[in-house]
Amino acid sequence: MQLVLIGNPENRRSQFLKEAVNHKLLPPLLIISYESLLENPEILHTLPDSGWLKIDSPGENFKVYKQILALAPDESRYNHIPAHEALQLPYDEGRIYYSHQWYAGFKILLHKIELALKNKPGLRLVNSIDSIELFFDKIASKHMLSKNAIATPAFLDEILHYDHLHQVLEQKKHQQVFIKLAHGSSGAGVLAYRKNKKGQEMLTTSVELVNEGDSVKLYNSLKIRRYTDYKEIRTIINILAKERIYAEQWIPKASQSGGFFDLRCVTIGGEPTHMVMRQSRSPITNLHLGNARGDLSYLKQSMSDEQWKNIMTLARKTAHTFNDARLIGLDILLPPKLDKPMIIEANAFGDLLPRILHGNENTYEATVSYLLQEKK
């Protein structure tokens, strides 16, 4: 079995998959780098005629990020930079900008891959192009969950600006919501917004607001901040709204010693396999933000068999909803009573869970094992 990866070779994701393929004594992993693909799309003609193709994250490579931005058509509704300027962007670590434009460019790149695959019917995708696109559009993905009766915090509306947020809150009778980038990842741009009956506001987020003369910039930092100043909150929401954001119901998360938590559950071939508990003192639990892994064994001991079964059933049902995706990273919310689990979101590239084993295999080894089994 030949496994092909489109990814960033220097990234540990690629290295883990390469090691998994070697461990199974398979032909060496064939890697097509995003850099080479973006510079020369004709390289897709060198894809083998059969085997499996895994499209991985293009993240953590600024050159690739700029090249994907440059592919996007101009959509004046959202923040946009012309292609020639995008290619000249200086590296600005953690800055949050052009996320909608990045998504538009990434879709174009995915369609180029899809077109090339029409001549390679024997080369199968681990996750379909459509599923990757869907997972990176959190609004469309949430609608898919709701349409299939999968429990998820309710989508309230796309937020156009700060004043519009307040109109939505009033219409929907909510005083606290999560606000997220429609095309974000790794917790970037996530805002936990709360307003009390006196009209006092508080924003809990990893977003850092930086004023540089007449310029205001937003960065994704490892430090969770709390904003209570009206002007700062308004500025943050208005800047993010230019990237496309939406509001969803804020469901309180369960907590253990160590703070609030949720679960990242990887499903492979429709079955929940690897799981990690993400724990934080704040409502935002992403491990990328420096949060800790919780004690999953202790959690399981504190739950009834029925409660645990409900989580597994929800994960399977969700995976089967996205049945053209064999590998999904599900974020699962548990309310304080540990009952009624909900899917926060589904991720296309959510399988990076180092040191988490299932049947003595990490996520990459388990994926290769599954593909070998499906081949039969």
Side-chain angles (χ1 to χ4, degrees):
M1 181 186 81
Q2 177 65 62
L3 183 57
V4 185
L5 175 72
I6 293 179
N8 291 326
E10 75 282 2
N11 193 286
R12 55 180 175 163
R13 295 172 179 274
S14 302
Q15 295 305 314
F16 284 141
L17 186 59
K18 185 177 179 180
E19 291 169 7
V21 168
N22 291 341
H23 182 68
K24 298 289 182 182
L25 302 178
L26 294 171
L29 178 68
L30 174 60
I31 302 179
I32 294 181
S33 73
Y34 275 107
E35 282 193 36
S36 59
L37 173 58
L38 286 158
E39 289 169 1
N40 177 27
E42 298 299 313
I43 197 173
L44 291 170
H45 295 310
T46 67
L47 286 168
D49 292 330
S50 62
W52 287 97
L53 172 61
K54 183 180 188 228
I55 300 173
D56 212 338
S57 168
E60 302 179 11
N61 183 316
F62 190 60
K63 184 178 180 182
V64 167
Y65 175 79
K66 292 190 295 184
Q67 289 176 309
I68 291 176
L69 286 182
L71 290 177
D74 185 5
E75 291 187 60
S76 56
R77 180 178 174 184
Y78 300 107
N79 196 22
H80 185 87
I81 185 172
H84 67 281
E85 292 182 29
L87 294 172
Q88 300 302 317
L89 275 175
Y91 181 64
D92 199 353
E93 183 174 2
R95 188 168 178 192
I96 303 171
Y97 55 179
Y98 307 122
S99 68
H100 179 272
Q101 181 173 345
W102 179 90
Y103 176 64
F106 190 49
K107 282 199 300 183
I108 289 175
L109 183 59
L110 289 174
H111 289 168
K112 289 182 179 179
I113 298 171
E114 186 175 39
L115 189 62
L117 291 178
K118 287 186 176 179
N119 297 319
K120 310 276 183 181
L123 186 60
R124 304 167 69 187
L125 283 163
V126 176
N127 282 358
S128 72
I129 299 293
D130 287 347
S131 71
I132 295 172
E133 276 191 24
L134 182 60
F135 292 145
F136 267 96
D137 185 337
K138 296 182 188 299
I139 294 176
S141 183
K142 185 164 276 292
H143 287 325
M144 175 67 85
L145 293 172
S146 298
K147 180 182 175 183
N148 287 278
I150 293 173
T152 185
F155 171 80
L156 300 180
D157 207 342
E158 184 170 341
I159 302 301
L160 306 180
H161 46 72
Y162 173 85
D163 293 333
H164 182 236
L165 168 66
H166 285 266
Q167 294 170 16
V168 172
L169 292 175
E170 188 171 341
Q171 290 170 359
K172 306 287 185 178
K173 309 296 183 188
H174 284 268
Q175 290 188 311
Q176 59 178 34
V177 293
F178 268 100
I179 301 168
K180 300 178 179 179
L181 290 169
H183 312 295
S185 63
S186 305
V190 174
L191 313 174
Y193 174 89
R194 179 175 284 155
K195 181 180 180 181
N196 66 21
K197 294 180 180 178
K198 295 180 180 178
Q200 296 168 324
E201 299 173 284
M202 186 168 72
L203 205 61
T204 303
T205 179
S206 61
V207 172
E208 180 182 8
L209 177 66
V210 176
N211 289 289
E212 293 182 354
D214 295 333
S215 174
V216 181
K217 300 177 180 177
L218 302 184
Y219 291 85
N220 192 37
S221 75
L222 296 180
K223 180 181 177 182
I224 297 296
R225 291 172 165 78
R226 288 187 172 83
Y227 296 91
T228 56
D229 180 80
Y230 155 76
K231 291 182 179 177
E232 289 185 327
I233 293 173
R234 183 185 182 95
T235 298
I236 290 171
I237 292 174
N238 283 342
I239 291 176
L240 289 178
K242 294 176 182 175
E243 307 293 340
R244 195 180 184 212
I245 58 175
Y246 67 100
E248 71 176 28
Q249 182 185 17
W250 179 345
I251 305 288
K253 294 177 179 176
S255 64
Q256 272 189 357
S257 174
F260 302 104
F261 68 86
D262 57 24
L263 304 172
R264 164 60 62 88
C265 174
V266 171
T267 63
I268 300 175
E271 281 296 308
T273 55
H274 303 71
M275 186 178 288
V276 66
M277 186 174 161
R278 312 184 305 178
Q279 199 161 24
S280 172
R281 293 291 180 189
S282 85
I284 302 172
T285 56
N286 298 69
L287 295 176
H288 291 83
L289 301 177
N291 292 317
R293 291 180 175 181
D295 188 342
L296 186 60
S297 297
Y298 179 79
L299 173 65
K300 290 178 71 173
Q301 291 171 9
S302 63
M303 302 178 78
S304 68
D305 291 344
E306 186 67 21
Q307 286 173 325
W308 185 254
K309 182 181 175 183
N310 289 341
I311 295 172
M312 296 294 103
T313 300
L314 178 65
R316 286 190 186 94
K317 182 178 179 181
T318 307
H320 292 163
T321 295
F322 302 106
N323 59 7
D324 57 352
R326 294 172 175 81
L327 183 60
I328 311 174
L330 299 175
D331 295 338
I332 301 176
L333 180 151
L334 294 177
K337 292 183 179 179
L338 304 180
D339 57 351
K340 301 179 180 177
M342 309 178 89
I343 298 296
I344 303 171
E345 61 188 50
N347 301 276
F349 308 133
D351 58 338
L352 182 60
L353 298 182
R355 305 184 306 283
I356 300 296
L357 303 180
H358 177 79
N360 290 322
E361 293 184 318
N362 62 32
T363 53
Y364 297 88
E365 292 165 343
T367 299
V368 174
S369 292
Y370 172 79
L371 297 178
L372 282 167
Q373 170 267 323
E374 184 170 318
K375 178 174 177 284
K376 295 175 182 176

